[in-house]
Amino acid sequence: EPEVTQTPSHQVTQMGQEVILRCVPISNHLYFYWYRQILGQKVEFLVSFYNNEISEKSEIFDDQFSVERPDGSNFTLKIRSTKLEDSAMYFCASRPLGTGELFFGEGSRLTVL
Amino acid sequence: AQSVTQPDIHITVSEGASLELRCNYSYGATPYLFWYVQSPGQGLQLLLKYFSGDTLVQGIKGFEAEFKRSQSSFNLRKPSVHWSDAAEYFCAVGSMSYKLSFGAGTTVTVRA
């Protein structure tokens, strides 16, 4: 069964460092998303991406965040200068055209020290 | 603004017993409603979704949910729980864009 894959599964970084989280969405999917879950809190929407541009973003997704689809398969989330409060599980998701299912990856845990 | 409340943080149920997880939502228009399950170390798996039509929705793993507009609820049920149903369950509400708002989750423990 096709699945969304995310790397790394866990990353530890120092405050102020840049981090790139990678995702490989399901191959025929057209819509891509990043969500995050801070420990003990709700899963929160960050950004959606379609046709090589951001279609919607939350207030969390400030100038420190960016997304990119550098080639035909990867979808990345970059945090330019990490803060302690960026520590969270980051989930990538993708879905096909139409009202299909949103498929989530297993998440990348980011720990900022 | 859209939001979801899951009143029960933790539920313990005996194997073979029925399960009901509560979900109340706030949304300005006709909502898209979802239930996801997350097992330890796993991603979020869709159990079922409601967009329109029949208010009783069937999902995977024997789960069903009922949309009640008058109560702003979308409760999840399973008639007979298996030990493998132990997990965390999330209700979510959103729009066609799939900008979803999740509840805080309900952890289900299944005792033998």
Side-chain angles (χ1 to χ4, degrees):
Chain A
E1 184 177 327
E3 59 181 18
V4 176
T5 57
Q6 292 186 239
T7 55
S9 56
H10 189 191
Q11 181 159 356
V12 181
T13 190
Q14 296 291 323
M15 190 168 55
Q17 294 297 302
E18 176 182 286
V19 159
I20 297 176
L21 305 178
R22 290 183 169 79
C23 169
V24 179
I26 295 172
S27 63
N28 63 341
H29 286 190
L30 300 178
Y31 299 86
F32 312 111
Y33 304 79
W34 284 100
Y35 283 79
R36 79 172 184 189
Q37 185 179 29
I38 295 171
L39 190 63
Q41 298 186 24
K42 296 181 179 183
V43 177
E44 304 171 290
F45 169 82
L46 291 179
V47 66
S48 58
F49 191 87
Y50 170 71
N51 199 26
N52 283 318
E53 61 183 29
I54 290 173
S55 46
E56 197 165 3
K57 62 182 180 180
S58 72
E59 57 275 8
I60 302 167
F61 195 87
D62 60 21
D63 293 344
Q64 291 299 313
F65 291 88
S66 62
V67 289
E68 191 178 32
R69 189 158 162 81
D71 52 43
S73 60
N74 289 285
F75 179 52
T76 62
L77 174 69
K78 182 193 291 186
I79 309 174
R80 285 191 188 80
S81 177
T82 51
K83 302 188 275 288
L84 295 176
E85 54 266 35
D86 294 327
S87 294
M89 180 74 88
Y90 289 81
F91 292 103
C92 174
S94 70
R95 72 176 175 93
L97 190 65
T99 54
E101 178 177 343
L102 191 62
F103 288 81
F104 283 86
E106 293 187 359
S108 292
R109 179 166 297 284
L110 175 66
T111 302
V112 182
L113 302 177
Chain B
Q2 59 193 51
S3 66
V4 171
T5 301
Q6 293 180 247
D8 305 305
I9 297 172
H10 192 188
I11 286 179
T12 299
V13 60
S14 297
E15 192 169 15
S18 64
L19 174 69
E20 181 168 13
L21 303 182
R22 295 181 291 165
C23 171
N24 293 98
Y25 68 88
S26 173
Y27 192 74
T30 301
Y32 284 21
L33 293 159
F34 307 82
W35 275 100
Y36 283 87
V37 62
Q38 185 180 32
S39 299
Q42 303 293 311
L44 296 162
Q45 182 184 21
L46 181 69
L47 286 175
L48 46 78
K49 62 182 185 286
Y50 172 80
F51 293 159
S52 63
D54 194 346
T55 56
L56 186 62
V57 181
Q58 302 298 319
I60 62 171
K61 305 185 180 186
F63 284 93
E64 66 177 26
E66 187 171 11
F67 170 60
K68 292 185 177 180
R69 185 186 298 275
S70 62
Q71 298 178 18
S72 298
S73 69
F74 189 56
N75 294 348
L76 181 72
R77 297 192 292 258
K78 185 168 183 176
S80 177
V81 168
H82 187 262
W83 64 266
S84 60
D85 293 322
E88 189 161 20
Y89 292 78
F90 295 92
C91 181
V93 66
S95 63
M96 285 180 60
S97 68
Y98 284 69
K99 177 187 175 184
L100 303 184
S101 294
F102 283 81
T106 299
T107 300
V108 173
T109 298
V110 180
R111 60 176 174 230

